[in-house]
Amino acid sequence: MDEDHDMDMNSFIMSNDQPIQSIEGFNIHAVAKAVAKQDTNLSESDDVIIGSENIVEGLDLFMRDTRKSGEEVDAALASAADQALTVLGVGQMGQIEGARIGPGEGSSPVIKACFVSSLLLPLHHPPPHKQQQPRSMFRTAKSPDRPKPVPEVLVDWLHQHHNPYPEEFKETLEYQPNTCGSDRFWDVVLSRTTRGSIKDALKLLKEADFRQAATALEEGGEEPGYRGKQLGNVQRVVNRAIAVLEACPAIQSEDWNVASSDWSIFRKRIRQALQDLAAFAEGPSHAQSQEDGVFEAENFGLSSVQDSGFSLSKTSRSTESRVPFSVYQALQELYGIMLGNGREITAASADWVEASIGQTIWWDGEAEDVGNVNFSASRNNRQSLARTQGNRPVDLMPRTAYLQKLSLSLRQVLAEHEDVELQVNTTSSVEVALACVFDDDLDGLLSILRGWSSTVVATVVEIAYRGSWLTTSAAPSQNLMDQFSQSDLMILNYSQNKPARDTNSHDDILSLYADLLYDRPMLRSTKYDAEHEGWELAIQVAGRLSNGTTSTNLITRFLEDLPLEGATGSINSVRINKVMSLCQRLSLNSVSQRMARRYATLLVNSTQNYGDALYYYARAHDLVRLKEVLDLLISLCLVQSLAYPPAADLDDTLHAMLTTPKQTLARLNLIDHEAAEMLSIHFSGYAMLRSFYDLRDQVMTASSASAKTALRPIARRKAAAATLIAVITSAADSIYGGLYDASVSSIIPVDGLVVLLGEALVFVNAPNPITPKPILTLTQTSALLSAIESLASLPTASSIHTACADVLQAALAHRHDPDGEASASGILSKSTTSHFSFSVVGRSADSGGFGVLSQESLSKDGEAEGKRAWDWRSGMKRDAGVDDVVKVLRLGLAKEVARGWLG
């Protein structure tokens, strides 16, 4: 085939729109490659694209369940093929009328693709045959519908999509004065029988009044019709033919399994009827011919006729015949068609399509070299043949056998006949594509379909791949090479001798289709009540590639090029949630994490949706960036001595984390256990600090409705103190004893320790107007002393001590000099080389930090007046340092301890 593919196209494509004249030198595969268009586009409607994708995706999910039986898989494939044709609009396409094969060259490419697919898919996955079975006490309550036999599929296709002369039957049936008065009567009877329309043939024969037969004129009669004894003889043999046709299993029980035992019995009746016809029509001459071992009915499943002397014998017998020769010959041809005689079928066919299909549907299932059986064969030989019937290919693998028979029939028709109608018109891409279907040349067919409709070819390839009849996929060696990286292939010196890829492979066609879908902005279907962005369907298609590496690379490319702002340009979580849902369904965890990181970075650089940023950094399993966002929030709280962001400005995600943490983390845990665990551990520090400020300012910020449930003053101060001490203890964990331990991962960064100690000043040796009892317990006092001593033990020149001082100065500047040169944001961002948390405050997006944190993030202190129950910074000077805070706190704690000892 490769040699033929390279041959000069001029050798088999004739000029002046003339079709090929012979099968010799004609390579259907090469012609298909030559007529195929290389350009591809996506011109199908949104309904067709979405509907087809729904079918294929559903089939893919079904096929992933390896527990399904073979019958269930076959039924699912047949259902998918049938639904696909419905979605593509094949049922609405109707029958192609006129003396041509398929839609014209000027028709829509999608219509052409649908026409060819209307035969291709049912051939490989026949729809169920809903046969009405007789009632029986042994019949189960629910019997599964069996698939239609291939002959029935072909008959149905001819009836629905190919009828070169659609009005011929009606015109003949309504011909006046009688149907057989038409000179086309017998031609139509034979044509309808060849097409499998046996009911039509029966109707014509039953309506026929041979007293008006036009054939009488052809035999020398002066007027139409037969008379007397001749009329009786005609009616006798025609009635016998009617009885034979009525006994056909396709009429009796709608059974088109022509290789079955019922059809074997039916063929015996045909042979007997043929023999009886010859005996009655020829009389003594027939008996003499039987004695001589000669019988005129060639190829009716009988032995071949001897050529010598036959013509004269036949002529003499026709003169003596009891039946008019035209009727006799027509009935012989009728029986011959039903016995699968290729010559008679081709003669009754309008074109190569009918001839090829006719030879296939009337095939008896026997090998070609045993098709001719002499009536004089012994009974033992016939019984031996019947016993071996169950071992024929058509009995073991019927679909494969019929596909081979259809291909053989096509080649026989093309090789044995030179009539234009019986040759494939190579100037018609539709005829070439249909010939590829007949010849089972899927590669050539896909080449043509790709130029017609990307959706149709992708759907066909998906069904073919899962039905295991896609024979054009890349060779196993090529699939093996796909598992190596480019550097591996260079080492193996493979690239120089790498074979050309098959562009019609499953993965190549789907990759191209995914690219086209990706470029489609939005797809909407009211028919399927669905709306998808093009990239969604593109990733879904790419996820079904058979090569995992190719699939991942393609999806990664799509996602890396995908803007995360959404279809409207606004930043929201709708698109990223779709992306991550698709990635999770396709088990692309690494891709999902990269996309979550991209989106979280977009949020922190463009919005103040801190909760969403935390959520998606957790989904990305990016602990470093997650802690940076949390440290940022903690720094803003400490610098302003206020819960930040304010309750009214919380995004939905951050609000849910603060108000219903268990439920929020439980939902995340169902999706991503590692992300939920990461967030639950590290978010608690910020949540505790914010809880302290909320408790402190509860009375100031509580509404009239919530004021009734607020804690009483002493209880509120004690709860706030307990929360603050826990926060301070966490912040001091990494410098216990004055030695910094980088391995300790505290939930509160050590940079804010001094500010936290300043917040504790109000609880130490503070006058209590309500009760003289201290707020801090002895355990809390000890914890506070431990944190102070650990801080005091640090070298003054250490980076930790410097960072603590910077945060302190930022907090005091925010209170005393918000508009001065040394503003809070300026102080916090001056140490960009610091390895500690608060150095991120004030970074710009260009430096890789948080562009949202600007002067707007730090509110004017005057704006927060009236929102704090107290402010420790009011009692500290603007230039107070770390030692000043420590001294005041130590003095207060000494008095607290003394008071505790004195009782």
Side-chain angles (χ1 to χ4, degrees):
M1 181 173 290
D2 293 338
E3 295 178 359
D4 292 336
H5 180 72
D6 295 331
M7 67 186 298
D8 185 5
M9 290 297 296
N10 293 328
S11 64
F12 53 81
I13 298 184
M14 308 300 292
S15 59
N16 300 323
D17 293 344
Q18 291 299 316
I20 58 169
Q21 298 300 317
S22 173
I23 192 65
E24 298 179 3
F26 173 46
N27 187 319
I28 295 177
H29 181 81
V31 176
K33 293 289 186 178
V35 302
K37 295 181 179 180
Q38 300 302 317
D39 57 324
T40 56
N41 56 72
L42 193 62
S43 59
E44 294 79 0
S45 67
D46 292 355
D47 283 343
V48 170
I49 295 174
I50 292 176
S52 300
E53 183 60 20
N54 289 344
I55 293 170
V56 175
E57 184 68 12
L59 178 63
D60 180 64
L61 292 175
F62 180 87
M63 297 290 285
R64 291 182 185 182
D65 187 354
T66 57
R67 296 171 298 179
K68 300 296 183 182
S69 66
E71 291 78 7
E72 290 175 316
V73 170
D74 289 341
L77 288 167
S79 176
D82 186 58
Q83 292 178 46
L85 293 176
T86 301
V87 168
L88 295 173
V90 171
Q92 301 175 359
M93 184 175 61
Q95 192 178 69
I96 305 298
E97 297 185 356
R100 70 167 186 261
I101 299 172
E105 287 300 299
S107 302
S108 164
V110 178
I111 293 296
K112 297 177 186 177
C114 291
F115 172 77
V116 176
S117 301
S118 68
L119 177 60
L120 174 69
L121 292 179
L123 267 181
H124 290 275
H125 302 292
H129 177 84
K130 297 180 179 179
Q131 181 182 13
Q132 294 183 354
Q133 301 177 7
R135 291 176 176 259
S136 171
M137 67 178 67
F138 301 106
R139 184 184 173 187
T140 58
K142 184 178 181 180
S143 300
D145 294 327
R146 58 180 177 84
K148 288 183 178 180
V150 173
E152 185 174 3
V153 171
L154 294 172
V155 169
D156 290 346
W157 184 83
L158 280 177
H159 176 71
Q160 295 171 10
H161 301 296
H162 182 67
N163 189 0
Y165 306 105
E167 300 298 326
E168 187 178 51
F169 170 73
K170 182 179 179 181
E171 291 174 355
T172 304
L173 186 64
E174 296 176 353
Y175 190 86
Q176 295 298 327
N178 184 260
T179 179
C180 69
S182 170
D183 57 0
R184 295 283 300 163
F185 172 77
W186 283 110
D187 292 334
V188 176
V189 169
L190 298 178
S191 173
R192 304 309 290 182
T193 305
T194 298
R195 293 170 55 88
S197 300
I198 305 176
K199 290 183 179 179
D200 290 348
L202 271 172
K203 192 172 185 64
L204 288 172
L205 291 174
K206 289 181 178 180
E207 294 289 332
D209 182 358
F210 288 94
R211 290 174 297 181
Q212 308 292 336
T215 53
L217 296 174
E218 300 175 4
E219 296 171 351
E222 297 181 355
E223 58 182 12
Y226 302 108
R227 303 290 184 271
K229 185 176 181 181
Q230 191 179 41
L231 175 63
N233 291 341
V234 169
Q235 200 61 57
R236 174 178 175 176
V237 294
V238 169
N239 288 341
R240 177 67 182 277
I242 291 175
V244 171
L245 287 174
E246 288 179 336
C248 178
I251 299 297
Q252 292 290 321
S253 57
E254 298 182 0
D255 177 17
W256 270 103
N257 182 16
V258 296
S260 67
S261 57
D262 288 343
W263 276 82
S264 297
I265 295 173
F266 174 62
R267 290 189 189 91
K268 290 180 180 179
R269 297 188 64 171
I270 297 174
R271 293 188 182 97
Q272 185 61 52
L274 182 61
Q275 192 175 21
D276 293 345
L277 171 65
F280 174 74
E282 298 179 23
S285 62
H286 172 70
Q288 182 62 40
S289 66
Q290 288 291 81
E291 293 177 2
D292 297 337
V294 179
F295 183 68
E296 73 190 56
E298 305 169 23
N299 301 322
F300 292 121
L302 311 175
S303 60
S304 300
V305 182
Q306 298 177 4
D307 294 333
S308 58
F310 171 70
S311 180
L312 179 61
S313 175
K314 178 177 179 181
T315 303
S316 62
R317 289 199 305 275
S318 65
T319 304
E320 304 170 0
S321 177
R322 300 174 183 173
V323 179
F325 181 72
S326 58
V327 176
Y328 181 32
Q329 185 181 36
L331 291 177
Q332 284 182 321
E333 292 174 358
L334 176 66
Y335 292 140
I337 289 172
M338 291 188 289
L339 287 173
N341 182 278
R343 182 179 301 175
E344 307 301 338
I345 290 173
T346 303
S349 301
D351 50 43
W352 62 267
V353 174
E354 284 192 355
S356 302
I357 290 180
Q359 292 188 31
T360 304
I361 64 177
W362 292 108
W363 179 45
D364 62 1
E366 300 295 340
E368 295 300 311
D369 57 349
V370 297
N372 299 327
V373 180
N374 195 308
F375 276 136
S376 61
S378 67
R379 182 184 180 191
N380 292 334
N381 289 338
R382 292 196 297 271
Q383 290 177 344
S384 176
L385 180 63
R387 284 195 299 269
T388 60
Q389 180 173 338
N391 297 325
R392 301 174 302 173
V394 72
D395 300 313
L396 302 176
M397 297 180 296
R399 294 179 202 170
T400 302
Y402 273 113
L403 288 175
Q404 293 175 352
K405 174 59 180 175
L406 183 61
S407 175
L408 179 62
S409 298
L410 171 68
R411 293 182 172 274
Q412 287 177 340
V413 170
L414 298 182
E416 296 174 1
H417 303 277
E418 297 183 356
D419 296 344
V420 173
E421 294 79 7
L422 297 176
Q423 295 295 315
V424 177
N425 182 4
T426 55
T427 64
S428 168
S429 58
V430 175
E431 288 200 36
V432 175
L434 198 59
C436 288
V437 176
F438 281 42
D439 199 39
D440 201 20
D441 180 11
L442 188 58
D443 183 58
L445 174 62
L446 293 179
S447 297
I448 299 177
L449 287 179
R450 289 180 66 165
W452 284 344
S453 170
S454 298
T455 301
V456 173
V457 72
T459 304
V460 167
V461 164
E462 290 273 42
I463 295 176
Y465 177 73
R466 283 159 182 79
S468 301
W469 50 277
L470 182 61
T471 57
T472 64
S473 56
S477 60
Q478 180 63 47
N479 289 331
L480 177 61
M481 290 301 107
D482 287 339
Q483 306 301 320
F484 292 94
S485 65
Q486 192 63 35
S487 58
D488 293 333
L489 295 176
M490 291 177 64
I491 295 174
L492 294 172
N493 194 24
Y494 177 75
S495 59
Q496 298 298 326
N497 299 319
K498 183 177 180 180
R501 288 188 62 88
D502 183 359
T503 57
N504 287 333
S505 69
H506 172 264
D507 285 7
D508 285 333
I509 288 178
L510 289 194
S511 296
L512 178 61
Y513 186 49
D515 278 324
L516 295 172
L517 287 171
Y518 185 82
D519 293 333
R520 194 89 165 238
M522 182 68 71
L523 297 96
R524 296 181 177 89
S525 172
T526 55
K527 181 177 181 180
Y528 299 103
D529 191 22
E531 179 177 294
H532 301 285
E533 294 183 69
W535 65 265
E536 294 181 68
L537 297 183
I539 291 177
Q540 191 165 281
V541 170
R544 295 197 297 267
L545 266 61
S546 57
N547 187 301
T549 302
T550 305
S551 174
T552 302
N553 292 340
L554 184 58
I555 293 175
T556 302
R557 174 167 66 83
F558 286 154
L559 294 180
E560 287 178 348
D561 296 339
L562 179 68
L564 295 180
E565 288 81 0
T568 60
S570 60
I571 299 177
N572 58 67
S573 59
V574 175
R575 174 169 284 186
I576 186 62
N577 287 340
K578 289 180 179 179
V579 169
M580 299 186 70
S581 176
L582 277 173
C583 290
Q584 184 178 15
R585 184 153 53 87
L586 299 173
S587 301
L588 299 173
N589 296 329
S590 60
V591 178
S592 175
Q593 292 169 14
R594 287 201 297 272
M595 294 303 296
R597 185 180 298 107
R598 267 188 62 196
Y599 184 68
T601 303
L602 175 66
L603 288 173
V604 298
N605 286 335
S606 307
T607 71
Q608 293 188 3
N609 293 346
Y610 299 105
D612 289 335
L614 290 170
Y615 176 85
Y616 288 104
Y617 274 135
R619 291 295 306 273
H621 300 175
D622 191 339
L623 179 58
V624 174
R625 302 290 285 183
L626 174 72
K627 292 182 68 175
E628 284 184 353
V629 177
L630 289 170
D631 293 345
L632 171 65
L633 292 173
I634 292 171
S635 70
L636 291 172
C637 291
L638 293 177
V639 169
Q640 300 176 97
S641 187
L642 199 67
Y644 183 86
D649 297 336
L650 292 174
D651 60 85
D652 293 339
T653 305
L654 189 56
H655 181 270
M657 290 180 184
L658 292 169
T659 56
T660 55
K662 289 185 178 180
Q663 294 88 330
T664 303
L665 292 173
R667 287 193 295 269
L668 178 57
N669 186 64
L670 295 175
I671 303 172
D672 190 336
H673 172 72
E674 186 174 347
E677 185 178 23
M678 184 184 299
L679 199 57
S680 65
I681 293 173
H682 296 280
F683 183 75
S684 58
Y686 166 72
M688 281 197 300
L689 179 61
R690 188 182 177 96
S691 177
F692 160 70
Y693 288 120
D694 289 340
L695 286 168
R696 184 196 69 181
D697 306 329
Q698 189 179 68
V699 175
M700 309 300 295
T701 58
S703 63
S704 57
S706 60
K708 297 180 181 179
T709 60
L711 295 175
R712 298 180 66 83
I714 294 298
R716 177 168 56 84
R717 290 170 68 90
K718 287 185 175 182
T723 303
L724 180 61
I725 296 304
V727 172
I728 291 173
T729 301
S730 175
D733 278 347
S734 61
I735 57 168
Y736 184 76
L739 298 175
Y740 175 66
D741 186 356
S743 64
V744 176
S745 178
S746 59
I747 57 176
I748 297 293
V750 68
D751 310 42
L753 180 57
V754 177
V755 176
L756 290 171
L757 292 175
E759 296 284 4
L761 289 173
V762 70
F763 301 113
V764 177
N765 197 30
N768 191 341
I770 301 175
T771 176
K773 293 182 179 181
I775 298 298
L776 299 178
T777 65
L778 185 59
T779 301
Q780 292 169 347
T781 301
S782 299
L784 194 55
L785 281 170
S786 175
I788 293 172
E789 294 308 315
S790 295
L791 176 64
S793 300
L794 287 172
T796 306
S798 67
S799 56
I800 298 178
H801 194 282
T802 302
C804 289
D806 288 341
V807 178
L808 174 62
Q809 290 302 310
L812 295 175
H814 182 266
R815 171 62 180 174
H816 297 289
D817 190 19
D819 297 322
E821 295 182 2
S823 63
S825 60
I827 294 173
L828 286 174
S829 61
K830 70 180 183 179
S831 300
T832 56
T833 59
S834 171
H835 295 289
F836 297 96
S837 307
F838 294 138
S839 62
V840 300
V841 179
R843 290 185 193 172
S844 66
D846 294 336
S847 64
F850 298 88
V852 293
L853 188 56
S854 58
Q855 287 289 356
E856 291 109 15
S857 300
L858 294 171
S859 61
K860 302 295 184 183
D861 198 62
E863 299 173 1
E865 284 297 335
K867 295 183 179 179
R868 303 183 185 91
W870 62 79
D871 190 346
W872 70 275
R873 300 172 301 173
S874 300
M876 301 296 294
K877 294 181 180 180
R878 168 65 183 81
D879 57 352
V882 175
D883 292 341
D884 297 324
V885 176
V886 172
K887 287 178 183 179
V888 174
L889 195 56
R890 275 178 169 171
L891 178 60
L893 285 174
K895 293 179 179 180
E896 287 285 345
V897 173
R899 185 183 297 114
W901 280 102
L902 293 175

